[in-house]
Amino acid sequence: MKKSALTTSTIALIAGLAGTALADPGEGILTVATIGEPPTLDAMQTPTDIVLTIDQHIFETLFTYDAAWRSVPLLAADMPEISEDGLTYRIPLREGVKFHDGSDFDSADVVASLERWMKINSKGKEVAEIVESLTADGDNVVVFKLISRYAPLLATISQAAIILPSEKIGDELTEFVGTGPYLLKERKPDQYTQLVRFEDYKSPKGEVSNYAGKREAIAKEIHFVPVPDANTRVEGLISGQFDFADSLPVSAYERVEASDNAKPVIFENSGWASMNMNMQEGPLTNKQLRQAVQLALDPNDMMLAAFGDERFFSVDGSIFPEGYIWHTEEGVARYDEADPEGAAKMLSDAGYDGTPIRLLTSRQYEFHYKIGEVAKAYLEAAGFKVDLQVVDWATLTERRADPGKWDIFITHSNFPGDPTTINTINDNYPGWYVSDQKAQAVGTYMEATSDEDKIAAWAGIQTAIYDDAPLFKVGNFNGVSGVANTVSGYEPTYWPHFWNVTPTE
Amino acid sequence: MNRVVRAFAKRLFGMLIVLLIVATLVFIIVRVTPGDPAAVMLGSDATPADIAQLRERLGLNAPLIVQYGQFMLGLLKGDLGHSIFLNQSVGQALLARAEPTFFLTLFSILIASAIALPVGILSAVKRGTIFDQIVVTLTMVAASVPSFWLGLILIQVFAVQLGWFPASGYGGPATPFVDRLGHLVLPAVALGVVNSALITRFTRAAMLDVLGDDYVRTARAKGANERRVVLKHAFRNALVPIITVIGLSIAMLVAGAVVTETVFGLPGVGNLVVSAVLRRDYPVIQGTLLVVAAIYVLINFIVDMLYVVADPRVRL
């Protein structure tokens, strides 16, 4: 059941006037068409986009990201007190927060949850290496003691480090109990995941900014429905079956815009596409050849082929787009040159022997394939021999783990809260980017404790990345989704969220 | 009687051999296909160490012969395995998806038969007329139309334009059974229309074969009315090939409504197979294909039994 527009408007007005006061809860149901079924709801184990999208309604983290992707308190009561040596983080916790099972949230839950996170999550394992101890100081404070400074700590625990009741924690999660505005009522794989409003939810305070600020569970229920076929998501949205449809094909933009029932929503810079190069085996272990790849390619053509219209992408050499505190042109080189002749000279200088470049791409993400097709043309124009291998995503993820099986693979990522959590920077990520100048630049970053120092240090990392050429950044793309005209209050975010969203009849 | 029991036992033994071969082939094909469920499950952030750790936990690092032995031992105990992704047994996963697939198959075949049998019979009776030519042309067109394309057109007209039926899915948490069935109307029509083409052509051909036979001429000579001649004498004798094609259509619908289920977002067996293949959920792929093969074999067996009912001259 949904409530009337008048009631909704009144509620919105009262909520606005009341500042942080909770709105009158409604009876509406939001039906959200997602790109598929989440493999699990355990975000620590599998922090993929679809899992995080649903999970963020059920679980909360100590910190979350604001509009500039800075980490700000969520279950934490305030920003941490950091000792002068940068090795101790004292994090105060909010009081009066309850889990969905009625138990109280306290420091023991945080310690137990973060210990599990450091044991099973890939980012958590990295953090575990520099954590000397994690302890509770009373019921409402936890203390991280680090072995060495670690600038991305807050950003890292802002994502999949969900807080669970200590007594529910095990290697395998069997109960999905969190502190979020919605609780899990039922999950029928491939049919729906049903969340209902958590009546005892205690919202953080403050202005809404990305995932930060006040959270109100206005809709009584949210039903996440997996609809893997993108065209079916479009039709379901237009026909009024769905209140929200995620990840629509850009070709459907006009159709949704012209419909009476829904409107398209663009989320700018939802991610970036890249071509990652193999630095461990094969011809591209030669830095000059990797730089030749960068020089030869035309990101405009590649993005246009992939996304069809300039409304849906931007070409920008800075690894982070404008609007992020990490945006900088520092170090950008051989980007948007589209110079196959210059690249041909570099090939000659590097003594390229004509060994085919195995370019791995997938049609599971159609834009990966289109980027691959255009890249092949430009690389061949420069004199590379290119073996374009089109496989499904599961095959690609397996093949890229073996350095003997590829030279370039195409992928995409979101823009993380902390720049050093970009996959390529990790020595072990396929591509195996290991370099002294990167290690030095990352080391400088890790020592930083203020945003200013971090921003300056990140410029050094970006410079190293462009010089070492472990990847070619293709461009930034926008996400297109659709929201029913009957829904109000939806603000686009990378992982779409539906607190503060009002369904109406 | 002994002969029937012997024939039955022989057929049953044959079915078991077929299923054993299917189980083995599916196990091998799934394992030699590139792609790692652990890598898919952990997402693009996963490091090789994470993937290796998960593979170990999932038992994927065990030698293939050990995995095969475990799979076959499980089958002997009636255990199809445990899904890597769904946190439930393969049996439970299949049961949860049986309802939409069962009713989709049932409705599709009812729609197909309701169109095909009268049209095929009439077309044969009126052989060479404009009606017959129209039927022949339309069945050729319908047989060439992919069911998913027809499905998209039906969604466009009946869900988007007219709003009569939902565009996709199988209902939400509180959707009553009857409303859930409403979600099957459009996919059932899409599959039913496409399948009706084949059944119509078989019905027409089978009827044409028997309408020229002596006993039909004799029946007419004896003054039996045309309705009785066509339905009792001719149709009854044309049933064997018609039963065959309907049986095959049912078997193919159970196994192969994959694309239609995906287009309509139906949480059925076809959808389960597709997502399992994309995720490399080995136990689900193996278990589902084995069950589908068993249903296929069973339907063929039932079809063979029906031959005896339809034509007493047929012996097992």
Side-chain angles (χ1 to χ4, degrees):
Chain A
M1 290 296 292
K2 298 174 179 181
K3 57 188 175 108
S4 74
L6 182 62
T7 315
T8 309
S9 310
T10 311
I11 288 167
L13 182 65
I14 292 168
L17 292 173
T20 56
L22 293 180
D24 183 20
E27 293 297 309
I29 294 173
L30 281 167
T31 305
V32 175
T34 62
I35 56 166
E37 179 66 24
T40 169
L41 291 181
D42 185 352
M44 280 192 198
Q45 177 76 263
T46 309
T48 56
D49 287 342
I50 181 65
V51 176
L52 291 168
T53 296
I54 296 174
D55 263 28
Q56 63 184 336
H57 298 84
I58 306 169
F59 302 103
E60 293 179 314
T61 44
L62 289 182
F63 297 90
T64 189
Y65 305 116
D66 71 4
W69 288 81
R70 269 186 290 254
S71 291
V72 294
L74 180 54
L75 281 172
D78 206 341
M79 294 302 283
E81 287 173 30
I82 304 174
S83 63
E84 275 189 23
D85 61 6
L87 297 179
T88 305
Y89 285 64
R90 190 180 162 79
I91 303 172
L93 307 176
R94 279 169 47 211
E95 295 178 33
V97 173
K98 285 192 178 297
F99 284 104
H100 299 155
D101 62 359
S103 61
D104 291 323
F105 157 80
D106 62 22
S107 54
D109 302 310
V110 175
V111 170
S113 300
L114 293 182
E115 280 175 349
R116 179 178 189 265
W117 174 72
M118 288 191 282
K119 191 175 158 195
I120 67 167
N121 182 273
S122 56
K123 303 286 187 221
K125 285 178 196 166
E126 287 174 29
V127 172
E129 289 174 15
I130 52 90
V131 169
E132 184 184 302
S133 67
L134 170 64
T135 51
D137 182 3
D139 285 346
N140 301 306
V141 173
V142 290
V143 180
F144 265 110
K145 283 196 174 161
L146 308 182
I147 296 163
S148 59
R149 285 189 178 189
Y150 191 73
L153 181 67
L154 294 190
T156 313
I157 61 173
S158 296
Q159 196 164 312
I162 53 177
I163 305 302
L164 313 156
S166 54
E167 60 272 20
K168 306 278 186 200
I169 290 175
D171 284 346
E172 294 286 336
L173 280 191
T174 51
E175 291 179 69
F176 298 92
V177 176
T179 57
Y182 288 90
L183 61 88
L184 177 68
K185 185 170 182 194
E186 188 181 18
R187 181 179 173 216
K188 277 198 168 182
D190 290 333
Q191 197 167 340
Y192 58 80
T193 301
Q194 180 190 15
L195 308 187
V196 299
R197 183 169 51 225
F198 176 39
E199 301 294 350
D200 291 333
Y201 178 63
K202 188 165 182 187
S203 167
K205 293 177 179 168
E207 287 295 311
V208 173
S209 171
N210 204 16
Y211 305 101
K214 189 177 62 175
R215 296 178 170 196
E216 297 176 53
I218 299 171
K220 183 186 174 191
E221 296 190 13
I222 307 173
H223 301 167
F224 290 97
V225 181
V227 186
D229 187 86
N231 289 316
T232 310
R233 288 199 294 280
V234 173
E235 304 303 343
L237 175 73
I238 292 173
S239 69
Q241 189 182 348
F242 306 132
D243 296 305
F244 180 87
D246 196 15
S247 293
L248 302 183
V250 292
S251 56
Y253 186 89
E254 271 76 23
R255 206 164 124 57
V256 176
E257 195 172 38
S259 80
D260 295 332
N261 286 338
K263 54 182 174 291
V265 178
I266 290 183
F267 176 61
E268 289 196 357
N269 300 318
S270 85
W272 58 296
S274 63
M275 295 173 60
N276 288 42
M277 296 185 249
N278 187 343
M279 293 175 65
Q280 196 169 87
E281 277 186 41
L284 296 182
T285 50
N286 183 326
K287 178 173 165 178
Q288 209 171 358
L289 289 184
R290 294 198 301 276
Q291 292 186 339
V293 169
Q294 292 180 321
L295 190 65
L297 295 171
D298 183 344
N300 285 290
D301 277 2
M302 294 162 83
M303 293 301 279
L304 192 62
F307 295 96
D309 189 310
E310 287 181 357
R311 282 177 299 174
F312 306 120
F313 71 87
S314 60
V315 167
D316 181 3
S318 166
I319 291 178
F320 281 83
E322 286 181 23
Y324 280 72
I325 57 174
W326 313 112
H327 177 81
T328 173
E329 297 298 326
E330 192 85 23
V332 174
R334 295 172 303 284
Y335 183 75
D336 199 10
E337 298 284 341
D339 182 9
E341 291 83 11
K345 188 173 177 310
M346 289 180 82
L347 257 62
S348 167
D349 293 346
Y352 174 58
D353 62 1
T355 305
I357 303 293
R358 293 157 298 173
L359 173 52
L360 275 186
T361 191
S362 163
R363 286 202 93 136
Q364 208 146 324
Y365 300 100
E366 191 63 18
F367 69 95
H368 289 190
Y369 170 71
K370 289 173 178 169
I371 285 171
E373 284 279 15
V374 180
K376 180 175 191 280
Y378 273 93
L379 292 175
E380 285 179 343
F384 281 107
K385 279 188 183 164
V386 180
D387 173 15
L388 182 67
Q389 299 182 0
V390 185
V391 294
D392 75 333
W393 185 247
T395 305
L396 190 148
T397 55
E398 186 190 42
R399 220 176 265 184
R400 73 180 183 185
D402 182 345
K405 288 186 173 168
W406 62 279
D407 297 300
I408 300 176
F409 75 87
I410 295 172
T411 187
H412 71 276
S413 312
N414 66 330
F415 295 102
D418 186 277
T420 55
T421 56
I422 288 174
N423 290 326
T424 304
I425 293 177
N426 186 325
D427 289 357
N428 297 317
Y429 186 72
W432 302 279
Y433 173 27
V434 180
S435 105
D436 290 342
Q437 63 173 338
K438 179 199 80 172
Q440 199 174 349
V442 171
T444 306
Y445 183 91
M446 292 299 167
E447 290 292 315
T449 50
S450 71
D451 278 351
E452 294 71 31
D453 290 347
K454 285 188 201 172
I455 290 166
W458 161 244
I461 298 174
Q462 180 167 289
T463 303
I465 289 175
Y466 266 98
D467 185 56
D468 289 328
L471 56 75
F472 175 74
K473 179 188 173 180
V474 187
N476 308 328
F477 55 84
N478 302 334
V480 178
S481 52
V483 61
N485 290 334
T486 53
V487 169
S488 60
Y490 175 74
E491 289 295 331
T493 47
Y494 179 73
W495 299 291
H497 67 266
F498 301 96
W499 56 84
N500 301 343
V501 175
T502 307
T504 56
E505 284 186 23
Chain B
M1 191 62 186
N2 277 344
R3 190 184 59 78
V4 174
V5 172
R6 266 204 310 278
F8 188 83
K10 196 174 158 189
R11 189 60 66 87
L12 202 65
F13 181 71
M15 284 162 64
L16 287 175
I17 296 293
V18 167
L19 292 179
L20 181 69
I21 292 169
V22 168
T24 307
L25 281 179
V26 168
F27 180 88
I28 294 168
I29 290 168
V30 162
R31 292 308 195 286
V32 298
T33 305
D36 184 348
V40 176
M41 190 166 190
L42 291 174
S44 58
D45 283 354
T47 62
D50 296 331
I51 294 168
Q53 196 178 16
L54 186 60
R55 282 186 62 85
E56 189 63 40
R57 196 160 63 79
L58 296 173
L60 297 170
N61 285 338
L64 277 186
I65 191 71
V66 173
Q67 292 184 48
Y68 179 72
Q70 286 167 342
F71 173 51
M72 296 310 283
L73 267 177
L75 287 184
L76 286 176
K77 290 187 274 183
D79 177 9
L80 293 169
H82 198 87
S83 166
I84 293 172
F85 283 81
L86 300 173
N87 197 26
Q88 61 184 167
S89 72
V90 176
Q92 285 173 323
L94 273 167
L95 267 180
R97 286 153 182 82
E99 183 185 298
T101 297
F102 173 77
F103 284 107
L104 178 63
T105 304
L106 181 68
F107 293 162
S108 306
I109 212 67
L110 286 177
I111 290 169
S113 303
I115 296 170
L117 297 182
V119 171
I121 293 169
L122 212 57
S123 183
V125 171
K126 295 181 179 295
R127 182 184 189 182
T129 63
I130 291 180
F131 174 80
D132 182 37
Q133 285 167 10
I134 291 172
V135 168
V136 169
T137 310
L138 282 182
T139 51
M140 206 178 296
V141 172
S144 316
V145 169
S147 58
F148 73 87
W149 180 83
L150 185 59
L152 288 173
I153 300 295
L154 291 173
I155 289 175
Q156 186 54 232
V157 176
F158 294 101
V160 177
Q161 304 289 337
L162 299 172
W164 290 357
F165 300 102
S168 77
Y170 195 54
T175 309
F177 177 67
V178 174
D179 289 354
R180 288 207 297 277
L181 296 187
H183 284 75
L184 297 177
V185 173
L186 296 184
V189 169
L191 284 170
V193 167
V194 172
N195 276 284
S196 71
L198 186 66
I199 301 173
T200 303
R201 291 171 75 85
F202 263 80
T203 306
R204 179 179 175 277
M207 286 296 288
L208 285 177
D209 271 353
V210 294
L211 279 173
D213 281 353
D214 290 346
Y215 60 87
V216 172
R217 204 176 317 122
T218 308
R220 281 183 177 137
K222 284 168 72 181
N225 70 37
E226 189 61 17
R227 187 188 172 88
R228 184 179 167 83
V229 170
V230 171
L231 293 182
K232 184 161 172 59
H233 296 276
F235 183 60
R236 175 95 197 253
N237 283 291
L239 264 179
V240 167
I242 297 172
I243 289 172
T244 306
V245 73
I246 291 177
L248 282 174
S249 296
I250 293 172
M252 284 194 296
L253 281 169
V254 171
V258 172
V259 182
T260 307
E261 282 191 5
T262 305
V263 167
F264 284 93
L266 285 174
V269 175
N271 219 334
L272 181 67
V273 174
V274 171
S275 46
V277 168
L278 290 175
R279 297 164 180 160
R280 303 294 192 270
D281 194 342
Y282 298 153
V284 173
I285 302 173
Q286 289 164 184
T288 309
L289 292 186
L290 191 62
V291 168
V292 166
I295 292 172
Y296 208 99
V297 170
L298 191 67
I299 288 171
N300 274 307
F301 178 70
I302 292 169
V303 166
D304 287 353
M305 296 294 119
L306 287 176
Y307 288 164
V308 182
V309 177
D311 186 349
R313 292 169 300 176
V314 176
R315 299 201 159 196
L316 281 174

